[in-house]
Amino acid sequence: MFLQRTSISLLGRQASLVRETERTIAWSRASCKHYRSCRNYVKAVASPLGVGGDSFKKQNVKREIFVVPVGLNVRSFSSEATPASESKSPLAAHIIDALKAIVGEKNVSISLAVREQHGRDESHHVCCPADAVVWPSSTEEVSQLAKLCYGNDIPMIPFGTGTGLEAGVAAIKGGISFNLMKMDKIVSVHEEDFDVTVQPGITRLSLNNHLRDTGLWFPVDPGADASLCGMCATSASGTNAVRYGTMRENVLNLEVVLADGTIIHTAGKGRRMKKTAAGYNLTNLFVGSEGTLGFITSATLKLYGIPEAMTSAVCQFPSMQAAVDTTVHTLQCGIPVARIEFLDRLMMDASIKYSQLERLKPLPTLFLEFHGSEQSVEDQAKSVAELAASNGGSDFAWAKDPEERNKLWKARHACWYALLALRPGCKGKSTDVCVPISTLPDAVLEADKILQKYPNITGTMVGHVGDGNFHVLLAFDPTNPKDKLAAEAIGNEIGLAALKLNGTCTGEHGIGIGKRHLLVKELGEAGVTLMKNIKSAVDPKGLMNPGKVL
């Protein structure tokens, strides 16, 4: 990591430490401990700004060498080297007191263990803890906290369930992590209008449990039991997207707290119509914004009737090409499958062992599900079975009762952990490309060729191939620099391959910190510049989840 070394002497008067732009250089993710990992500090008490301030109270501070990692704001420091294990926040004491005054002392933590828990998600990216964690319980408290942070130039990072895969919760420039899970109300359910309004603390499974007796459900299923507002923030999708769409198609309205504390409703307060032509589409501006434009404090979502019949099936194939061709043919025939998931040979082997799947072999496999009336489900399944047989597929192994279906889809959702079980102690990385259906066979075969170039990396393929989205899951040794570089290279090459096939580098996980270079290639400089202008207009100080997406 490149560091700038600056000798500083502060003797009995207020002085400027060094402006941030003169003190920082390209930030390295490896420096997630920020200045806490450096052994030399300057004794100084932060100005009333709390962070990012130039002036300091009068202190007699001896001359020391001050080592500053990149991209970090100036905060209050201690002259003694503070071990990373100590629970000490670099935020000024009066800022912490102000946080407690808003949400209560029990809802503010500067414990290192808590901050580290909020500085990582399920991804391979390095943990970057925030300087404090707060638990607001209402939109008004989020607004007050945002006003405090905005007035003191403190970065803000939204946090839900922490199930993301692109380091969206990492506090790479420090700041305060807002854990929104105490906002856990289902605000309203309109059964006759097929919609629901929820707060961030409501997850996908908790909502569907609540709706069980209404005959309705929310079908977008990314696998993890994620926060629904977090799913809005990442434009999540999952196994049911081929039939029900992604979050982007299922959000009617959002309540959002902007960086300066302003509260807005993207479709108008209380409005929940199925369509509108009124002005710019603000709702979809915030869907997929990954916390960089504001806090989503409630979401109004579409609901669907629970189908009369649901039947799942498994079909195995002699090759990846045959399985993917069956997917393409199924969609081209207009068969309304609800789910069609692909697992390659190695992924099936791992899943059979991890999830104890019986009567299945380690072969390229499709997991399918059909929704509708009893007759329509039977007709759909028969048509797909004929297409599969024409491509060398096996007879269907059926899972008709809820227990069998749940076991099957639990195994599909556990693929990530099944992969990691193949190499205990390893880290996982997931690619997330999506291509037009017609180019899906080429994309899958090209991804397989890329994997063959890196024999030291364990790589498997799994995906929601019904909408052209698939993942290459990689297990690598995080202590081996060559493995880490190889995993990054695989992700980059597969992303570039998808772009060449007129696809995207991310179908559902988001850009986060690892795909920003691919975003430029995907949208072009002009497109990214427009995004930056929008970001500057909505968040002029750049305090909302800085370092992500752009």
Side-chain angles (χ1 to χ4, degrees):
M1 177 183 70
F2 295 99
L3 299 174
Q4 176 181 0
R5 295 177 178 267
T6 307
S7 295
I8 302 172
S9 179
L10 301 178
L11 298 173
R13 64 183 179 83
Q14 288 188 338
S16 173
L17 186 56
V18 175
R19 286 185 173 83
E20 182 180 2
T21 54
E22 300 172 331
R23 305 174 49 237
T24 61
I25 51 180
W27 178 81
S28 165
R29 291 200 305 271
S31 66
C32 78
K33 296 298 183 186
H34 306 325
Y35 41 79
R36 290 182 287 278
S37 65
C38 303
R39 307 306 298 174
N40 298 315
Y41 292 77
V42 171
K43 184 178 181 181
V45 178
S47 70
L49 286 178
V51 295
D54 289 334
S55 61
F56 286 76
K57 295 179 180 179
K58 293 183 178 181
Q59 296 285 331
N60 288 324
V61 182
K62 62 183 180 180
R63 182 183 180 90
E64 291 185 346
I65 298 297
F66 185 35
V67 183
V68 184
V70 182
L72 303 178
N73 291 330
V74 183
R75 298 181 181 81
S76 54
F77 296 92
S78 166
S79 61
E80 293 79 28
T82 305
S85 61
E86 290 189 13
S87 295
K88 187 171 184 179
S89 171
L91 289 174
H94 73 278
I95 295 293
I96 296 174
D97 289 341
L99 296 173
K100 292 177 180 179
I102 295 172
V103 297
E105 186 170 354
K106 292 183 178 180
N107 292 316
V108 178
S109 177
I110 58 172
S111 162
L112 180 65
V114 173
R115 291 188 284 125
E116 287 186 337
Q117 177 190 2
H118 287 76
R120 66 167 69 90
D121 56 14
E122 295 280 354
S123 72
H124 68 288
H125 293 290
V126 177
C127 169
C128 295
D131 302 321
V133 180
V134 294
W135 286 264
S137 57
S138 68
T139 300
E140 290 69 27
E141 287 185 356
V142 175
S143 176
Q144 292 177 45
L145 291 167
K147 289 176 181 177
L148 174 67
C149 293
Y150 193 79
N152 291 281
D153 295 336
I154 303 173
M156 296 169 271
I157 304 95
F159 187 95
T161 55
T163 53
L165 292 170
E166 296 298 338
V169 299
I172 62 177
K173 293 190 177 182
I176 297 174
S177 176
F178 287 53
N179 186 319
L180 304 178
M181 295 305 288
K182 285 194 174 183
M183 298 173 63
D184 57 358
K185 294 183 177 63
I186 296 176
V187 179
S188 62
V189 178
H190 297 97
E191 297 178 28
E192 64 280 8
D193 294 324
F194 291 79
D195 66 62
V196 63
T197 299
V198 298
Q199 290 186 327
I202 298 298
T203 65
R204 175 182 62 87
L205 289 180
S206 63
L207 174 61
N208 282 331
N209 285 336
H210 179 84
L211 295 172
R212 184 177 298 165
D213 295 333
T214 67
L216 302 174
W217 73 315
F218 184 71
V220 180
D221 178 8
D225 187 23
S227 159
L228 289 163
C229 289
M231 289 167 61
C232 294
T234 58
S235 191
S237 57
T239 57
N240 283 317
V242 63
R243 178 152 183 169
Y244 299 98
T246 70
M247 289 302 292
R248 196 172 295 278
E249 291 81 43
N250 285 285
V251 180
L252 300 174
N253 199 353
L254 296 172
E255 179 184 71
V256 179
V257 177
L258 302 181
D260 64 358
T262 301
I263 302 171
I264 69 165
H265 298 83
T266 58
K269 188 172 183 179
R271 306 198 186 283
R272 49 191 177 82
M273 55 280 176
K274 290 295 188 291
K275 64 179 182 180
T276 176
Y280 298 136
N281 190 338
L282 296 181
T283 301
N284 274 346
L285 174 63
F286 285 90
V287 174
S289 61
E290 301 184 41
T292 62
L293 299 180
F295 297 96
I296 298 175
T297 52
S298 78
T300 301
L301 309 171
K302 294 179 184 178
L303 297 177
Y304 296 80
I306 296 175
E308 175 188 338
M310 295 185 184
T311 297
S312 298
V314 176
C315 185
Q316 300 199 284
F317 295 84
S319 67
M320 285 197 303
Q321 178 80 55
V324 176
D325 284 347
T326 298
T327 300
V328 174
H329 297 160
T330 298
L331 297 172
Q332 289 175 340
C333 288
I335 301 170
V337 290
R339 307 193 208 198
I340 182 164
E341 299 286 305
F342 169 71
L343 286 73
D344 72 0
R345 190 185 307 272
L346 182 58
M347 190 71 259
M348 273 305 298
D349 187 35
S351 294
I352 289 168
K353 295 172 181 175
Y354 185 83
S355 298
Q356 299 180 344
L357 297 177
E358 300 173 355
R359 303 188 307 276
L360 294 177
K361 300 176 182 178
L363 293 170
T365 302
L366 290 180
F367 286 14
L368 305 110
E369 189 162 277
F370 308 96
H371 294 176
S373 66
E374 294 284 356
Q375 186 59 52
S376 68
V377 163
E378 185 178 334
D379 292 342
Q380 294 169 39
K382 181 179 178 181
S383 298
V384 176
E386 291 174 355
L387 292 171
S390 69
N391 286 300
S394 67
D395 292 337
F396 278 11
W398 296 99
K400 295 184 178 182
D401 65 66
E403 185 177 348
E404 289 178 333
R405 284 195 297 108
N406 289 339
K407 181 178 181 180
L408 182 65
W409 293 109
K410 184 178 180 180
R412 165 59 187 90
H413 292 320
C415 283
W416 176 259
Y417 305 103
L419 168 73
L420 296 180
L422 289 177
R423 294 185 63 182
C426 283
K427 284 281 189 178
K429 174 182 172 61
S430 174
T431 70
D432 178 39
V433 299
C434 184
V435 297
I437 288 296
S438 63
T439 65
L440 180 62
D442 292 337
V444 169
L445 293 177
E446 181 62 26
D448 188 52
K449 289 179 183 177
I450 292 170
L451 283 175
Q452 303 312 314
K453 293 163 52 179
Y454 299 91
N456 292 333
I457 304 297
T458 302
T460 67
M461 268 187 275
V462 59
H464 325 302
V465 287
D467 55 11
N469 183 200
F470 69 95
H471 312 295
V472 174
L473 308 183
L474 307 171
F476 64 95
D477 181 357
T479 65
N480 185 329
K482 290 183 178 180
D483 272 14
K484 292 176 69 175
L485 288 174
E488 292 293 339
I490 291 170
N492 187 60
E493 289 184 40
I494 291 175
L496 291 174
L499 296 182
K500 288 180 181 178
L501 293 170
N502 298 317
T504 176
C505 65
T506 176
E508 57 184 3
H509 295 166
I511 295 295
I513 64 176
K515 298 185 185 128
R516 288 175 292 179
H517 64 295
L518 292 173
L519 182 66
V520 177
K521 293 183 179 297
E522 183 169 328
L523 299 182
E525 291 287 352
V528 172
T529 297
L530 178 58
M531 284 189 170
K532 289 180 178 178
N533 291 340
I534 293 171
K535 165 75 170 172
S536 296
V538 177
D539 177 21
K541 291 187 177 183
L543 298 176
M544 284 303 310
N545 212 5
K548 317 294 169 52
V549 184
L550 302 173

